[in-house]
Each structure stands twice: as C-alpha cells, then as structure tokens.
Amino acid sequence: MIGSSQSFLEAQRVIERFARCDVPVLIEGETGTGKELAARAIHYGGQRSSGPFVPVNCGALPDALVDNELFGHKRGAFTDAHIEQAGLIAHASGGTLFLDEVDALPLKSQVILLRFLQDHQYRPLGAPESRHADVRLIAATNADLAERVEEGEFRLDLLFRLRILVVTLPPLRERDRDIELLADNFLHVCAQRFGNGDKVLHPATFDWMYRYDWPGNIRELETLICRGYLLSDARVIEIGPPDPFISDRCQPGIVHLQPASLYGSLRQSEAPAMLAHEDFKTAKSRVITEFECRYLADALSAAGGNVTKAARIAGKERRAFGKLLKKHGLAPAQSAFDGPLR
Ligand SMILES: Nc1ncnc2c1ncn2[C@@H]1O[C@H](COP(=O)(O)OP(=O)(O)OP(=O)(O)O)[C@@H](O)[C@H]1O
Ligand SMILES: [Mg+2]
C-alpha cells in the first residue's frame, strides 16, 4: 500500500497491528479509499496468510441468494439443488472471508452472520445440523453503520460484534502529498502493463489535483492516470480535472444536455428541432438514457460517491440503483486496471 501522509501512516500502523490479532475487523472509508487492499494486507500480514482470502461483495448479491452463497446448501434443499454445494464460508476455512459492503446484507442474513461470529457455527440451507468453520471475518463499508442501525437496516448486535477492531481509511483529499506518490505509482504500473514507456505528469496537473475533492478517491485517481497514459503519446502528460464529476464516464457518444433540458419539459424551444431527425422510439430512448445518466451522476456527486446514500437520495432500492449505475457504466466499484476504460 502506497502513502506517506500522516493520516495514511496512522491507518497503516493500525492495519499492521490488527493483522496480528485473529479477531473480526471492520474497515470503514469512502469509496475507493483502499478498503479491499487493507483487508488483503490484514489477511496476508497475519497467521492465516497461507489460507484462502475469499472476497464477497454483499451489495452485488441478490437478497434471495445471499444465504445460499455464504452458507451453501444440501442436496434437495430447494427445487434446483441437485447436488450439495459449499458456501463461501466453507471455502474460506482456515483463512479470511472479506465481506465488502456489509451494510447491504439483508437483515435475515445479518442474524445468521451474527450467530457465526459468536460461535463459528452455521447451517447450510436444508442441512439438519450446524457446521463449524475456522474463518476470520473482515467487513468493509462506506456507509455510516450507526445511521443504518437507526434506520432499522442494520442490526445493532451485529454492529457491536463487528466493531471490535475498526480502522478508518482516510479520503484522498486528506492525504496531501500522497497524490503525487500514488500518481507516480499508477504511471509506472501503466508503463509496465501497456508498454508505452515511462511518462510523468506535467506540473500543471498537480495544481488542480491538490485542490480537487476526489469523491472517488484513489480509484478515481487511478482511472484518470490510466486514461491519461493511454490517450497521450507524449512523455510529459497533462491531465485536466474531471468536470463535472464522473459525467464523462457516461456512455460514449452521448450528447450532454444542459440540466434544464434534461429535467425540464420537452416543450422547450430547442426540443422540436432536436427531435425532428429521429423517430419517436429512438428519441425517447436517447432522452431517457441522457436523463438517467445525468441524474445518477448528480445523485452520486451529492452523496460524495456513496452508492447507498445516492440510492436513498434517488428514493430507489440500493440494488436496483446499483444495476442502473452498471447499465450506464457509472458503477464506482471497478478498478481502472480491472476492465476497459470509458
Ligand atoms: N494505498 C494504496 N496504494 C496503491 N493503490 C491503492 C491504495 N489504496 C487503494 N489503491 C488502489 O485503488 C483502487 C481502489 O481500492 P479498493 O478496491 O481497495 O477500494 P475500496 O475502498 O474497496 O473501494 P469500494 O468502496 O468502491 O469497494 C484499487 O485499484 C487499489 O489497488
Ligand atoms: Mg471494495
């Protein structure tokens, strides 16, 4: 993990200490601050390092499948259960289960998880007896779990169990000089990965980088650097600030309309001219796409990149909101190095 700022070094010291204690850990931090990286550091720095590290994103699992994924099932437990299947807890045996976005777990599954944290016992679906698994649990969240408890969406008893050891990762805007260190590192990784030679950032790039808020934190920096590296043939590259936040991650080719024409009525003066060149179906689908894209970007921006909060602002169920984000390529959970750039 790269960083030399005071806030990062403090978090790193805590992570090293936690690695040596074999109890559950809760990692808090805004999106893209390095929670999964910290979870891996805790696992590989501890006594379970030769065991498996099994990451699971609770927010990506449909409610109906969570228990099956985590705890597995016996043959015949439900109509399609033709064979017995072990859950992720069993796969993590001897190692660590990393529950990312733990706040997205349905209440019913939270009860089972609580029991597991108490005595390491769980029962696969359809199994008559409980089983034991020697698993360390690390959970991560970018939500305020106390707030989720007040809203009745997270169990207080589970929160108490998870909060034995808590580490909070600092947002990038509070890590001052780390921006330069991280940027250099990502340029180096790009050079190795894409083989287009070593590059450096133009000093003008840092002018805005040190003033920018970084709602997507390190992942956002990583994406910008990676895109800048790929789009420039020069050795010294200048990257401009993202303006507005993430709107440029919307589908390529979309014409960005002013908010007034997106939220406003189609009776505006420019609308007829705009629509005259398209049939009704195409125009409708384009306007809806533009609206969704802009709305999602604004909601995410207002929520500081926190998907759960953004879903709440939009009055949508978190999972459905997440699906919409994915549809428009706005999901903030993907690393620049994991997939194609937009
Ligand atoms: N200290 C660091 N040094 C180098 N790279 C880092 C550091 N922290 C995070 N990264 C990189 O930033 C990206 C985001 O990190 P990670 O996935 O761990 O964040 P996260 O907090 O789990 O995000 P989310 O809340 O969206 O799940 C990853 O590609 C990771 O490798
Ligand atoms: Mg993560």
Side-chain angles (χ1 to χ4, degrees):
M1 293 179 81
I2 289 164
S4 67
S5 62
Q6 191 64 22
S7 55
F8 172 76
L9 292 178
E10 264 164 38
Q12 199 176 36
R13 261 194 299 276
V14 172
I15 286 167
E16 281 164 12
R17 177 173 280 265
F18 286 2
R20 298 193 291 270
C21 325
D22 200 36
V23 293
V25 174
L26 177 64
I27 305 173
E28 297 178 332
E30 292 177 14
T31 184
T33 46
K35 295 187 292 298
E36 178 151 355
L37 218 56
R40 286 178 191 272
I42 292 171
H43 170 76
Y44 289 107
Q47 63 195 56
R48 294 171 177 269
S49 58
S50 57
F53 175 86
V54 178
V56 46
N57 186 333
C58 303
L61 293 174
D63 281 6
L65 297 184
V66 172
D67 294 348
N68 188 38
E69 285 292 316
L70 291 182
F71 309 109
H73 63 252
K74 285 280 281 183
R75 183 171 172 218
F78 45 87
T79 320
D80 291 328
H82 301 304
I83 50 166
E84 176 166 340
Q85 196 186 310
L88 294 169
I89 280 197
H91 285 297
S93 201
T96 303
L97 182 70
F98 173 54
L99 292 181
D100 201 359
E101 295 194 41
V102 69
D103 50 288
L105 271 185
L107 284 164
K108 191 167 64 70
S109 311
Q110 292 178 27
V111 179
I112 310 178
L113 188 66
L114 177 66
R115 158 125 201 253
F116 179 73
L117 279 170
Q118 278 161 349
D119 56 13
H120 284 236
Q121 300 283 328
Y122 69 101
R123 199 149 59 90
L125 300 180
E129 76 298 330
S130 292
R131 297 194 185 161
H132 180 267
D134 171 28
V135 170
R136 181 182 194 182
L137 202 102
I138 302 182
T141 183
N142 60 21
D144 180 340
L145 286 185
E147 206 177 272
R148 305 280 286 158
V149 167
E150 270 173 32
E151 292 161 358
E153 291 180 54
F154 203 81
R155 290 184 63 101
L156 184 61
D157 42 12
L158 180 57
L159 180 59
F160 281 142
R161 275 276 158 186
L162 286 176
R163 285 193 68 100
I164 298 176
L165 300 179
V166 185
V167 55
T168 305
L169 298 182
L172 188 54
R173 63 185 162 280
E174 288 169 17
R175 291 180 56 176
D176 40 80
R177 283 171 308 115
D178 285 356
I179 290 180
E180 211 161 327
L181 266 184
L182 286 159
D184 283 349
N185 168 68
F186 292 139
L187 281 172
H188 183 66
V189 173
C190 281
Q192 287 188 323
R193 182 174 175 199
F194 303 115
N196 210 9
D198 284 326
K199 298 183 185 206
V200 290
L201 286 186
H202 191 283
T205 303
F206 292 107
D207 286 349
W208 68 262
M209 280 192 170
Y210 281 115
R211 280 180 286 120
Y212 183 55
D213 232 24
W214 297 107
N217 292 290
I218 302 175
R219 183 178 293 106
E220 189 182 5
L221 175 67
E222 188 182 32
T223 307
L224 279 176
I225 298 282
C226 193
R227 182 191 290 143
Y229 181 95
L230 288 173
L231 295 184
S232 169
D233 286 327
R235 205 187 80 80
V236 180
I237 52 179
E238 185 166 352
I239 299 176
D243 188 20
F245 165 53
I246 69 168
S247 72
D248 59 347
R249 290 184 214 165
C250 288
Q251 289 177 355
I254 284 181
V255 180
H256 291 282
L257 300 181
Q258 292 308 304
S261 58
L262 287 175
Y263 296 121
S265 105
L266 285 175
R267 269 178 276 130
Q268 286 176 21
S269 57
E270 77 273 24
M274 180 179 81
L275 299 180
H277 305 291
E278 293 169 302
D279 63 53
F280 177 79
K281 203 172 150 206
T282 315
K284 184 175 167 190
S285 114
R286 182 178 53 75
V287 170
I288 288 174
T289 303
E290 285 167 353
F291 164 77
E292 286 184 353
C293 225
R294 167 71 70 165
Y295 187 97
L296 294 172
D298 283 355
L300 267 179
S301 181
N306 181 317
V307 176
T308 307
K309 261 193 206 155
R312 219 173 297 139
I313 290 170
K316 281 190 81 69
E317 199 263 321
R318 195 198 173 289
R319 228 171 284 275
F321 190 80
K323 268 193 195 154
L324 261 183
L325 288 178
K326 280 214 179 87
K327 175 178 150 194
H328 292 296
L330 290 164
Q334 204 185 19
S335 159
F337 295 111
D338 290 346
L341 289 170
R342 290 176 183 281

